[in-house]
């Protein structure tokens, strides 16, 4: 979940539980999570979000999936 300030800057990131972890990919699970959080932090601020809809995007649930 991304928690955003009114100006689109990142207030906090909370990473939920990871799914799909098994014995063959367990070693990569932590680094993948860290990489995703780093990418979100590097992408901020999200300045194109409409200011008048702040209540809708101030808490942004996000699910990252790989294929």
């Amino acid at each position: 979940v991304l928690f955003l300030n009114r100006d689109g800057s990142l207030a906090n990131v909370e990473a939920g539980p990871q799914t799909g972890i098994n014995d063959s990919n367990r070693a990569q699970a932590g680094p993948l999570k860290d990489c995703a959080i780093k990418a979100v932090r590097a992408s901020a601020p999200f300045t194109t979000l409409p200011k008048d809809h702040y209540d809708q995007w101030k808490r942004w649930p996000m699910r990252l999936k790989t294929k």
Side-chain angles (χ1 to χ4, degrees), residues 5 11-13 17-18 24-25 34 39-41 47 49-50 52-54 57 63-64 66:
N5 297 311
N12 194 18
V13 178
Q18 289 177 275
S24 66
N25 66 15
D34 294 342
V40 167
R41 291 188 190 282
T47 57
L49 296 169
D52 53 333
H53 295 287
Y54 176 66
W57 53 259
R63 182 175 177 166
L64 301 176
T66 59

Side-chain angles (χ1 to χ4, degrees), residues 5 16 18 25 33-35 41 46 48 56 67:
N5 297 311
Q18 289 177 275
N25 66 15
K33 180 168 114 176
D34 294 342
C35 185
R41 291 188 190 282
F46 301 94
T48 59
Q56 294 175 355
K67 291 186 177 189

